[in-house]
């Protein structure tokens, strides 16, 4: 293919070829006519027998016949050769660059002789070769994909948030937990700045420290290597984050082979929400301060009263009563303070121990399953269903130990196990028919070490960590029970604090963004490096200026040439007016479906955040943009993003005379959208997104590589369509 | 009517002295024991009407002495009041579950002690 300026080629090629054929035939016709006239003139000079008017008559007629013949042959040639040639060229181009390897429509190259079958064989051979390559690639990437899936699963199940960024702080990867901790509802987005969701300063500070550590080489023997602790905050809600920032180091791809120096390429942040922990710590510090502040004074008071009473000096009854009163009051206050201290220290102890919410039934089932030592004990469970706050592993081990010891001690094989609750706490009761276990025996059991898996802890340690105790008491007729009080808890199932839960999808990955940076001048940026939001609207009608409104708005993100199905915006919109049945038939959205939907004033700001600074793309973008801009005054949301139109880009590739409906383009590119998704905003946005990706391939081959060039190509097509009155 | 006998079991000599003086002044016959074994021997030799029992007593657990009294049919009638520096609700509950008739947390005032003792021994105010 020739290397002519790309943006001009599609137009000049489609009209130029036919023009050249036309000029060729025009030359034959005019030349033939001139030759006939010339011959006549020569004949006239040599013989007088012929009359001049006959010359003119026959000469003119001959010239007209030649001209007419040439015109007729040209018309046939244009119809049967020039146009089919262009169709074949478009077909080949689509096959070559957009991988649309369908057979040519029948009859396209009927008059081109063996060219038609040859083109068919070529595309078939190319398709086979590509399938072979695809198979090889698919096999080679299958394992990578599997590992990627495993990584995705691990990341999804992590309790910490994980975000990976490049040095421009663009997010390359995040897990579900990160969204929850950062309290964002899917806005974080691949390719967007991490500093859009967290306060930048602590992270910048950590990165500068790490960069210094790296450049000075100190990281090789630093205990933390290339990582350091960071305390930051979310931008939404100002939650406190505690995490580790680790610098990622890679080889500089720009350096000469063999001498590529290592350099930082990005960083990984692993973090958790410590807002509650921090608040608890602050509260504890304040309590400790309050409690201990005047203890010394109270003790001094007691000492002085003691001295006074033991002086042996006479003291009257009133003074004695006052001293006694003060003595009792100070003693009482000191005791209260000590109780508070005891509580705070217990809190400290138990907060260091991992407590979780466990359902009573689960806990009892776990104890029954645990039955160690193979004694074949029959354990019947029951009681109240209640959520308990405890470390189930150590409680299960403790109760299992008590079960076995009691069985041996009392010679019993049948027990019942139940959780009962009162207004203050729950009790785990292990009951049997027989005598209670003596205190001394029970205390000895509690001093034994439990399972080694728990570390060297005793039953008493488990009780202390749970701020509880245990006893054995007579129960019912000749029965006894071991009673273990436990804390109950009201479960908060909404752990994500209102953030919307997204489906975890592997598209959250895009390691190709490493090493990418967005050039300052967006226009010069390669199309492939841009972030696009491809969107579509469904409306109450086709007249935005006539009061028609949006009923559905959907968008998909394309980052680094990949359409991310995991990052989708899709919202019904209450149009504030009835949906005409003719419109409802097209998109299937009825008044009932939008009855509870948000109005555009609520949806558009969300969409604006979703779009960020991406390039907006739509099929027939002017139509959709008109709806958006008409809402500008009412919502205050202004879109200043660059806009591309897949209709104009399609025309730049295939020529303005081709059919450029979304259906045609999708069919041409072999893009399949489920029929139930077609004519929904999301389905059409997806179809447009895939079409854009195919068009980008073709545009690139035609030399349209930057956003500026794409705008120029679009502008030319818009001018043609304006001239044709189509737009 | 013979004076009621009270056994004070506590390993703190100061507390023993204080309670002996105070309750003696009130007209009770007061015995003391410094640890669990001594206490059980004393109960065996001459069962008192009330035991003021420190939970953390040397030799044996206060709960154990309480258990020994309350699970012996012959001694069950002896009233037991636990005295403890432990003031958590669960500890009080445990003491009552072990059969104690009352539970006093330290520090307690003279008046609280007197009221509790009277209550347990079923005697009216001002009557020794």
């Amino acid at each position: 293919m020739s290397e002519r300026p790309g943006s001009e080629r599609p137009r000049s090629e489609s009209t130029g070829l036919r023009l050249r054929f036309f000029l060729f035939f025009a030359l034959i016709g005019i030349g033939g006519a001139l030759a006939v006239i010339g011959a006549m003139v020569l004949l006239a000079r040599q013989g007088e027998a012929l009359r001049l008017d006959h010359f003119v008559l026959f000469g003119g007629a001959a010239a007209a016949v030649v001209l007419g013949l040439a015109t007729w042959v040209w018309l046939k040639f244009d119809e049967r050769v020039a146009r089919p040639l262009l169709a074949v060229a478009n077909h080949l181009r689509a096959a070559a660059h957009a991988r649309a390897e369908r057979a040519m429509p029948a009859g396209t190259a009927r008059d081109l002789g063996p060219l038609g079958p040859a083109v068919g064989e070529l595309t078939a051979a190319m398709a086979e070769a590509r399938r072979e390559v695809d198979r090889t690639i698919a096999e080679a990437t299958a394992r990578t994909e599997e590992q990627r899936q495993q990584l995705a699963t691990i990341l999804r199940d992590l309790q910490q948030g994980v975000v990976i960024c490049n040095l421009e702080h663009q997010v390359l990867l995040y897990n579900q937990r990160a969204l929850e901790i950062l309290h964002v509802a899917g806005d974080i987005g691949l390719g967007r700045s991490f500093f859009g969701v967290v306060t930048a300063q602590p992270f910048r500070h950590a990165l500068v420290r790490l960069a210094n550590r790296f450049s000075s080489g100190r990281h090789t023997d630093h205990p933390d290597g290339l990582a350091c602790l960071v305390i930051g905050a979310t931008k939404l809600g100002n939650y406190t984050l505690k995490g580790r920032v680790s610098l990622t180091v890679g080889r500089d791809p720009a350096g000469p082979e063999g001498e590529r120096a290592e350099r930082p390429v990005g960083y990984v942040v692993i973090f958790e929400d410590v807002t509650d922990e921090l608040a608890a710590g602050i509260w504890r510090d304040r309590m400790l301060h309050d409690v201990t502040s005047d203890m010394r004074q109270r003790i001094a008071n007691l000492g002085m009263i003691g001295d006074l009473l033991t002086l042996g000096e006479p003291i009257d009854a009133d003074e004695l009563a006052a001293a006694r009163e003060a003595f009792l009051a100070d003693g009482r206050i000191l005791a209260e303070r000590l109780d508070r201290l005891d509580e705070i220290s217990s809190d400290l102890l138990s907060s260091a121990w991992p407590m979780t919410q466990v359902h009573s039934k689960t806990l009892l089932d776990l104890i029954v399953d645990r039955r160690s030592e193979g004694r074949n004990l029959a354990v019947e469970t029951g009681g109240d269903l209640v959520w308990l706050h405890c470390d189930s592993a150590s409680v299960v081990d403790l109760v299992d130990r008590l079960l076995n010891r009691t069985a041996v001690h009392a010679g019993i094989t049948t027990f019942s196990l139940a959780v009962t609750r009162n207004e203050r706490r729950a009790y785990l009761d292990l009951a049997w028919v027989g005598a209670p276990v003596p205190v001394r025996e029970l205390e000895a059991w509690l001093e034994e070490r439990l399972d080694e898996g728990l570390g060297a802890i005793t039953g008493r340690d488990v009780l202390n960590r749970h701020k509880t105790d245990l006893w054995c008491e007579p129960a019912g007729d000749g029965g006894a029970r071991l009673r273990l009080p436990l804390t109950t808890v009201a479960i908060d199932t909404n752990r994500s604090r209102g953030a919307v839960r997204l489906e975890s999808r592997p598209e959250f990955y895009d390691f190709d963004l490493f090493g990418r940076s967005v050039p300052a001048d967006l226009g010069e940026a390669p199309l492939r490096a841009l972030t696009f939001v491809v969107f579509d609207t469904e409306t109450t009608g086709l007249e935005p200026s006539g009061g028609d409104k949006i009923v559905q708005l959907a968008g998909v993100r394309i980052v680094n040439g990949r359409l991310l199905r995991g990052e989708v915006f899709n919202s019904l919109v209450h149009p504030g007016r009835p949906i005409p049945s003719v419109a409802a038939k097209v998109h299937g959205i009825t008044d009932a479906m939008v009855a509870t939907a948000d109005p555009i004033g609520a949806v558009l700001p969300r969409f604006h955040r979703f779009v960020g600074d991406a390039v907006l793309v739509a099929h027939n973008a002017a139509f959709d943009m008109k709806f958006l801009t008409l809402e500008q005054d009412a919502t205050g949301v202004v879109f200043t993003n660059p806009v591309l139109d897949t209709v104009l880009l399609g025309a730049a590739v295939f020529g303005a005379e081709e059919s450029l409906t979304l259906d045609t383009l999708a069919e041409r590119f072999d893009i399949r959208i489920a029929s139930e998704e077609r004519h929904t905003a999301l389905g059409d946005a997806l179809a447009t997104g895939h079409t854009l990706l195919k068009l980008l391939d073709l545009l690139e081959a035609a030399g349209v590589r930057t956003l500026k060039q794409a705008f120029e190509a679009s502008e030319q097509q818009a001018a043609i369509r304006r001239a044709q009155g189509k737009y | 009517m013979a004076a009621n006998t009270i056994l004070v079991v506590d390993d703190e000599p100061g507390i023993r002295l204080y309670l002996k003086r105070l309750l003696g002044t009130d007209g009770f016959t007061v015995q003391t024991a410094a640890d669990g074994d001594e206490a059980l021997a004393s109960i065996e030799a001459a069962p008192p009407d009330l035991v003021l029992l420190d939970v953390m007593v040397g030799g044996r657990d206060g709960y154990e002495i309480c258990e020994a009294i309350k699970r012996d049919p012959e001694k069950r009638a002896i009233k037991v009041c636990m005295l403890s520096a432990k003031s958590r609700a669960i500890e009080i509950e445990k003491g009552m579950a072990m059969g104690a008739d009352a539970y006093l947390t330290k520090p307690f005032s003279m008046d609280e002690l007197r009221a509790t003792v009277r209550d347990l021994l079923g005697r009216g105010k001002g009557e020794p």
Side-chain angles (χ1 to χ4, degrees):
Chain A
M1 192 158 292
S2 63
E3 281 296 317
R4 275 181 284 154
S7 57
E8 288 170 15
R9 201 215 53 185
R11 191 180 52 154
S12 67
E13 209 169 82
S14 61
T15 54
L17 181 68
R18 290 170 61 201
L19 182 67
R20 281 200 296 279
F21 280 132
F22 171 74
L23 288 175
F24 178 64
F25 281 97
L27 193 67
I28 293 172
I30 293 166
L34 286 175
V36 170
I37 292 164
M40 292 296 174
V41 170
L42 279 177
L43 267 174
R45 282 185 185 168
Q46 284 170 5
E48 303 92 49
L50 289 168
R51 281 173 51 189
L52 188 62
D53 56 344
H54 283 177
F55 269 120
V56 175
L57 186 64
F58 288 105
V65 168
V66 170
L67 257 179
L69 205 59
T71 307
W72 181 76
V73 174
W74 169 74
L75 279 173
K76 287 289 167 196
F77 196 86
D78 186 58
E79 182 194 337
R80 299 195 173 192
V81 180
R83 283 172 182 269
L85 269 180
L86 286 173
V88 168
N90 271 340
H91 177 75
L92 283 175
R93 198 173 292 138
H97 301 300
R99 312 199 57 165
E101 286 138 353
R102 291 174 305 115
M104 249 190 325
T108 307
R110 192 179 53 217
D111 298 314
L112 297 180
L115 188 61
V119 166
E121 286 164 29
L122 176 67
T123 45
M126 198 157 67
E128 181 50 38
R130 274 180 175 161
R131 275 195 290 276
E132 187 55 40
V133 172
D134 286 349
R135 260 198 299 279
T136 316
I137 293 172
E139 282 165 15
T141 51
R143 196 175 305 158
T144 317
E145 189 53 37
E146 194 180 321
Q147 288 168 345
R148 194 176 257 210
Q149 290 290 351
Q150 286 169 350
L151 180 62
T153 309
I154 292 167
L155 285 173
R156 194 183 55 221
D157 295 343
L158 268 184
Q159 275 305 297
Q160 286 86 10
V162 178
V163 171
I164 299 183
C165 297
N166 61 17
L167 289 181
E168 277 74 41
H169 314 294
Q170 288 173 302
V171 175
L172 313 181
L173 174 153
Y174 56 88
N175 66 350
Q176 191 58 43
R177 190 79 185 112
L179 291 183
E180 292 166 10
I181 294 174
L182 297 170
H183 299 89
V184 291
D187 292 302
I188 185 170
L190 291 182
R192 298 223 198 141
S193 175
F194 182 44
F195 296 157
V197 289
V198 297
T199 51
Q201 184 46 33
F203 292 93
R204 284 194 198 282
H205 176 77
L207 288 168
V208 169
R209 282 180 57 199
L210 292 175
N212 288 342
R213 199 185 289 169
F214 176 74
S215 58
S216 65
R218 276 182 294 125
H219 64 286
T220 50
D221 48 44
H222 195 284
D224 289 334
L226 274 176
C228 73
L229 189 77
V230 68
I231 301 287
T234 63
K235 280 202 170 163
L236 284 163
N238 204 23
Y239 293 96
T240 310
L241 305 175
K242 180 175 139 193
R244 271 168 78 84
V245 178
S246 312
L247 208 58
T248 318
V249 173
R251 298 237 173 240
D252 187 353
E257 193 72 40
E259 296 172 29
R260 286 175 187 171
E262 281 201 324
R263 64 176 183 116
V265 292
Y267 57 92
V268 181
V269 188
I270 299 173
F271 55 92
E272 55 194 337
D273 182 349
V274 292
T275 313
D276 295 343
E277 233 172 87
L278 203 67
I282 291 168
W283 176 83
R284 253 191 321 254
D285 286 352
R286 193 174 299 152
M287 286 303 298
L288 275 174
H289 178 260
D290 288 353
V291 163
T292 54
S293 57
D294 72 344
M295 279 175 79
R296 189 172 288 273
Q297 185 59 50
R298 299 286 165 189
I299 291 166
N301 291 354
L302 288 177
M304 282 186 286
I305 295 166
D307 285 346
L308 179 71
L309 293 176
T310 53
L311 268 179
E313 293 292 315
I315 185 166
D316 67 37
D318 286 349
E319 283 173 330
L320 189 66
R324 189 166 165 265
E325 202 60 41
F327 195 86
L328 284 174
D330 282 334
R332 188 158 310 253
I333 288 169
L334 268 178
E336 279 167 13
R337 297 280 153 91
L338 284 167
D339 284 348
R340 296 291 299 133
L341 269 180
D342 185 38
E343 255 175 55
I344 294 166
S345 71
S346 303
D347 279 347
L348 275 171
L349 183 68
S350 56
S351 67
W353 193 249
M355 300 282 179
T356 52
Q357 284 80 22
V358 185
H359 196 255
S360 54
K361 184 171 185 318
T362 309
L363 186 69
L364 298 187
D365 289 347
L366 285 168
I367 293 168
V368 173
D369 286 346
R370 178 76 175 84
R371 278 173 300 167
S372 61
E373 303 184 18
R375 282 184 220 288
N376 246 345
L377 303 177
V379 181
E380 192 182 290
T381 61
D384 297 334
L385 297 179
V386 51
W387 285 96
L388 302 165
H389 184 69
C390 66
D391 168 45
S392 57
S394 59
V395 169
V396 168
D397 252 33
L398 171 62
V399 177
D400 177 63
R401 175 63 57 89
L402 295 170
L403 191 61
N404 280 305
R405 291 289 177 272
T406 308
V408 174
H409 173 83
I412 299 220
T413 54
T414 307
F415 292 87
S416 79
L417 198 56
V419 171
T420 53
R421 68 177 301 181
N422 62 22
E423 64 280 3
R424 282 188 301 173
R425 59 180 68 89
Y427 300 92
L428 197 164
D429 291 329
L430 176 65
W432 63 92
V433 177
V437 177
V439 174
R440 176 160 284 226
E441 200 79 31
L442 191 56
E443 284 303 319
W445 296 348
L446 291 176
E447 294 311 318
E448 292 173 14
R449 283 191 180 180
L450 293 176
D451 192 301
E452 282 179 7
L454 293 169
I457 67 162
T458 64
R460 179 55 68 190
D461 292 332
V462 174
L463 296 178
N464 288 342
R465 278 164 182 171
H466 287 82
K467 289 198 277 182
T468 190
D469 207 337
L470 174 87
W471 63 84
C472 189
E473 61 186 27
D477 218 5
R481 70 180 172 204
L482 272 169
R483 177 155 259 219
L484 169 64
L486 289 171
T487 309
T488 58
V489 66
I491 272 284
D492 176 16
T493 49
N494 187 16
R495 289 193 55 184
S496 56
R497 291 195 218 179
V500 174
R501 206 165 257 279
L502 288 182
E503 242 182 287
S504 289
R505 289 173 194 269
E507 281 94 342
F508 285 140
Y509 297 92
D510 192 349
F511 285 108
D512 299 340
L513 281 167
F514 264 128
R516 178 192 112 164
S517 56
V518 175
D521 184 357
L522 197 64
E524 297 302 327
L527 285 170
R528 291 257 157 228
L530 295 175
T531 298
F532 298 96
V533 166
V534 185
F535 76 105
D536 187 52
T537 59
E538 298 300 337
T539 61
T540 58
L542 302 176
E543 305 260 347
S545 312
D548 278 324
K549 297 284 181 189
I550 296 172
V551 296
Q552 190 183 22
L553 179 59
V556 296
R557 282 163 66 78
I558 292 179
V559 179
N560 241 18
R562 292 179 59 231
L563 195 151
L564 307 178
R565 291 254 359 200
E567 292 188 19
V568 162
F569 184 94
N570 190 14
S571 177
L572 286 171
V573 181
H574 195 295
R577 53 161 290 181
I579 301 172
S581 59
V582 60
K585 270 184 197 145
V586 174
H587 47 58
I589 297 167
T590 60
D591 289 325
M593 288 163 71
V594 296
T596 56
D598 285 331
I600 193 72
V603 176
L604 217 49
R606 287 209 304 272
F607 184 63
H608 194 257
R609 280 200 299 278
F610 176 77
V611 171
D613 53 6
V615 176
L616 279 169
V617 182
H619 197 72
N620 197 359
F623 177 81
D624 300 281
M625 286 309 293
K626 184 80 179 165
F627 278 99
L628 296 191
T629 47
L630 278 176
E631 301 294 349
Q632 200 165 295
D633 288 342
T635 61
V637 177
V638 183
F639 290 89
T640 55
N641 311 56
V643 179
L644 285 176
D645 185 345
T646 41
V647 173
L648 297 179
L649 294 176
V653 169
F654 296 117
E657 54 284 322
E658 293 279 335
S659 169
L660 295 165
T661 65
L662 187 55
D663 281 330
T664 320
L665 287 175
E667 192 192 342
R668 188 190 279 267
F669 290 133
D670 224 3
I671 294 163
R672 291 187 182 89
I673 300 291
S675 57
E676 64 274 15
E677 281 197 333
R678 278 291 287 128
H679 298 297
T680 68
L682 183 58
D684 283 359
L686 283 168
T688 310
H690 287 296
T691 301
L692 175 72
L693 289 175
K694 296 286 190 185
L695 285 172
L696 289 182
D697 286 333
L698 288 166
L699 287 165
E700 201 167 74
V704 180
R705 294 194 173 87
T706 67
L707 188 59
K708 198 171 153 206
Q709 288 168 337
F711 282 143
E712 284 167 6
S714 300
E715 191 45 48
Q716 283 173 6
Q717 293 304 321
I720 292 171
R721 293 174 91 77
R722 271 196 292 272
Q724 291 172 334
K726 284 188 183 172
Y727 216 60
Chain B
M1 185 175 169
N4 284 122
T5 316
I6 297 177
L7 173 65
V8 173
V9 187
D10 200 307
D11 53 0
E12 288 286 335
I15 299 277
R16 288 204 301 274
L17 182 64
Y18 167 79
L19 290 176
K20 186 166 184 167
R21 285 282 298 273
L22 180 76
L23 297 169
T25 315
D26 286 351
F28 295 105
T29 305
V30 183
Q31 305 286 330
T32 61
D35 62 42
D37 292 331
E38 207 180 308
L40 288 177
S42 171
I43 292 167
E44 209 59 53
D49 298 301
L50 167 68
V51 182
L52 292 177
L53 181 60
D54 183 42
V55 171
M56 304 291 282
V57 72
R60 277 169 197 263
D61 193 310
Y63 294 119
E64 199 185 331
I65 298 165
C66 181
E67 180 186 55
I69 297 166
K70 290 296 178 178
R71 290 185 190 159
D72 182 339
E74 288 176 16
K75 302 191 182 88
R76 197 172 287 165
I78 300 172
K79 301 286 182 188
V80 175
C81 174
M82 304 280 255
L83 308 178
S84 173
K86 289 181 176 181
S87 62
R88 290 187 203 159
I90 283 180
E91 282 144 6
I92 297 172
E93 197 175 337
K94 178 177 178 178
M96 302 307 277
M98 298 310 296
D101 299 285
Y103 195 106
L104 273 180
T105 57
K106 296 177 185 173
F108 46 80
S109 71
M110 233 184 274
D111 297 339
E112 278 173 279
L113 179 77
R114 280 179 168 146
T116 307
V117 168
R118 277 194 199 108
D119 195 34
L120 290 175
L121 295 177
R123 304 171 76 170
K125 195 172 174 149
E127 191 188 337

